[in-house]
Amino acid sequence: MSIVKVTPQPSCADASDPLSLTVEQARTAIRAALTPIRDQEQVAIRSALGRVLAEDCISPLNVPGHTNSAMDGYALSATDLPRDGVREYAVIATALAGQKVAARCADGECVRIMTGAPMPPGTDTVVMQEQVEVLDNGRVRIDSRHRAGQNVRRAGEDIAQGACVFEAGRVLTAADLGVLASLGFGELRVRRKPRVAFFSTGDELRSIGDTLGEGQVYDSNRYSLHAMLSEAGVDIIDLGVVRDERSALQEAFSEASRVADVVITSGGVSVGEADFTKEVLARLGEISFWTIAMKPGRPLTFGRLAQSTFFGLPGNPVAVMLTFQQFVQPALRYLVSGRWPQPLVIEARTRVALKKRPGRFEFVRGILGYDDDGRLTVGPAGPQGSGILTSMSRANCYILLAEDCAGVAAGDTVSVQPFATLV
Ligand code: AMP
Ligand code: MG
């Protein structure tokens, strides 16, 4: 990995701190510092959901494999359809899915056919059964409203043999796995998962099960981080809690960088007396940048630790989640796929006025929904303190207030980044 020493652009991005990066500059710097993983492994198709293809997938087959009927009905030759009026036909055979009809269909003849059955010799058109009159003698009547070739699925019309179905770098979805199964793939070559080591820092942190003393808190960041890393589909190495001591941090940093591609810490990146993360990173590795003009999440230390990429996330529980989602998650995706994902951003009307000073990017935890007229509206999910993690549970989106925004009035249109596709 090559590290880029980022000299923040002195700009009006953050009036109070002209040396911090904008959100966009931070993303660019992170991306520039990463080299996508090339290692590969073979996995069974059932274990491939969310994995990233290591090579192009070339179809060994046509899908569908044979030209077949898209309807239950009657197959015949288009040249034999009546130009006008109605014509009678003899039914010479029945074609079922998975079976081949040997008899050739001649003039004045048709074949009773079921959906998916291969088209019998001499036929190229299917008339759906609802449009056919069946006579008492078993013969059928067909009128003149039909098109040549209708209701027929051509061999290879979905996927042609030899075509590239999915390119290397694709993150496999449920639909992709269905497509690959339809082509007979039992195993796939995928990229190795990134290995991510993480730990919390702070003398005040206690483990679940311990009794809390004065001023102590349970370590919640490790659980939200663990959950987000699980969603990101990486190999997770949980290194626990590390005290606010230079030597303890140094030891943890060294161990983490020995085992992981990416090291994530939370806490200890501000300018408090017990905030040593930056100092230890500078000693053992290299710092690229450490402040972003955003709220929450302003102190985020990014850099390199031996061969690992280092993210020193803030300690506040909301800031941990936000900075992970905005920077770490796309970075992990980029590492494994070579593509930096773009967040989905939509527009909605704000239900209330939102105060803001220009100079930094604000991510307001919001609740997005439809009003009685079916319009998308959004409002804040309660108090916005960066320690108030319940606001994150209540929220289903971020309201994005860009650097230059000086507040919005109720009813204004704002940009919104939904957490998921359902509101
Ligand atoms: P720091 O940046 O280390 O000063 O932490 C900022 C705030 O976040 C403090 O109130 C910490 O107690 C809190 N905090 C830090 N780490 C954690 C954690 N792992 N779980 C819960 N709260 C934390
Ligand atoms: Mg701390």
Side-chain angles (χ1 to χ4, degrees):
M1 186 185 90
S2 65
I3 196 87
V4 186
K5 276 263 180 196
V6 180
T7 315
Q9 303 290 317
S11 71
C12 59
D14 186 351
S16 62
D17 184 359
L19 287 183
S20 64
L21 298 191
T22 64
V23 169
E24 229 19 74
Q25 286 169 339
R27 286 199 177 114
T28 306
I30 291 169
R31 183 176 172 161
L34 297 171
T35 308
I37 290 170
R38 291 275 145 206
D39 306 343
Q40 307 180 359
E41 62 192 10
Q42 189 98 353
V43 295
I45 189 165
R46 268 193 201 278
S47 312
L49 183 63
R51 300 300 299 268
V52 175
L53 276 180
E55 52 191 19
D56 291 350
C57 263
I58 307 298
S59 176
L61 312 170
N62 275 325
V63 177
H66 49 262
T67 300
N68 68 85
S69 177
M71 293 279 177
D72 293 332
Y74 294 83
L76 71 172
S77 166
T79 56
D80 204 21
L81 283 169
R83 293 250 166 86
D84 40 49
V86 177
R87 221 179 130 183
E88 238 180 78
Y89 298 83
V91 182
I92 60 163
T94 298
L96 300 172
Q99 289 179 14
K100 230 181 149 110
V101 169
R104 171 163 283 275
C105 199
D107 273 6
E109 293 177 349
C110 66
V111 173
R112 172 92 174 107
I113 194 163
M114 305 302 153
T115 305
M119 293 297 286
T123 71
D124 58 8
T125 299
V126 173
V127 177
M128 59 196 283
Q129 64 187 30
E130 292 83 347
Q131 297 174 346
V132 169
E133 187 188 348
V134 182
L135 305 177
D136 287 343
N137 59 9
R139 290 167 69 84
V140 295
R141 257 197 207 136
I142 292 175
D143 63 21
S144 62
R145 65 183 132 155
H146 306 288
R147 272 183 307 104
Q150 70 179 20
N151 301 328
V152 172
R153 304 188 280 221
R154 308 250 141 243
E157 79 175 13
D158 184 4
I159 304 166
Q161 188 175 10
C164 176
V165 196
F166 299 120
E167 288 178 10
R170 182 171 180 96
V171 184
L172 292 166
T173 65
D176 297 351
L177 297 180
V179 169
L180 291 166
S182 77
L183 298 175
F185 285 97
E187 294 194 329
L188 301 167
R189 279 207 84 67
V190 296
R191 303 246 170 87
R192 169 173 75 72
K193 291 181 182 181
R195 283 190 279 272
V196 180
F198 73 113
F199 55 88
S200 300
T201 70
D203 287 343
E204 77 281 27
L205 302 181
R206 286 293 170 273
S207 295
I208 294 169
D210 290 354
T211 308
L212 292 182
E214 188 70 23
Q216 297 178 335
V217 295
Y218 287 122
D219 171 12
S220 65
N221 289 345
R222 239 164 78 233
Y223 293 86
S224 53
L225 274 173
H226 186 275
M228 292 187 292
L229 289 167
S230 303
E231 282 175 348
V234 299
D235 276 340
I236 302 172
I237 305 153
D238 183 348
L239 296 179
V241 178
V242 177
R243 278 162 295 128
D244 289 319
E245 273 172 26
R246 288 181 180 84
S247 59
L249 279 170
Q250 221 157 298
E251 213 171 288
F253 273 42
S254 302
E255 187 191 344
S257 67
R258 266 197 305 275
V259 294
D261 303 297
V262 176
V263 177
I264 300 173
T265 66
S266 71
V269 288
S270 341
V271 287
E273 301 223 327
D275 293 333
F276 302 125
T277 301
K278 238 164 33 196
E279 180 189 319
V280 173
L281 180 65
R283 192 173 317 144
L284 299 186
E286 225 175 314
I287 298 178
S288 174
F289 65 81
W290 66 86
T291 46
I292 305 177
M294 65 186 270
K295 183 187 169 194
R298 182 172 165 276
L300 182 150
T301 301
F302 176 73
R304 191 188 63 191
L305 188 58
Q307 294 312 306
S308 313
T309 302
F310 180 88
F311 288 93
L313 306 185
N316 277 310
V318 172
V320 166
M321 293 198 69
L322 174 70
T323 51
F324 183 94
Q325 291 161 339
Q326 300 297 329
F327 303 106
V328 184
Q329 198 185 63
L332 293 172
R333 177 61 72 85
Y334 179 75
L335 260 189
V336 75
S337 73
R339 289 182 202 143
W340 188 277
Q342 294 299 316
L344 171 70
V345 176
I346 61 175
E347 291 194 329
R349 287 153 66 107
T350 174
R351 292 187 283 270
V352 294
L354 299 167
K355 278 196 195 146
K356 177 180 176 293
R357 269 181 307 146
R360 63 186 175 196
F361 201 119
E362 286 194 21
F363 294 84
V364 179
R365 277 89 74 203
I367 298 177
L368 179 69
Y370 291 99
D371 66 11
D372 292 342
D373 299 325
R375 285 176 307 193
L376 267 181
T377 64
V378 73
Q384 296 286 317
S386 66
I388 302 180
L389 194 51
T390 50
S391 68
M392 200 69 169
S393 287
R394 270 194 299 277
N396 61 8
C397 69
Y398 290 120
I399 305 169
L400 307 177
L401 302 177
E403 284 88 354
D404 56 0
C405 167
V408 293
D412 281 359
T413 298
V414 289
S415 293
V416 173
Q417 186 184 339
F419 291 170
T421 50
L422 299 176
V423 297

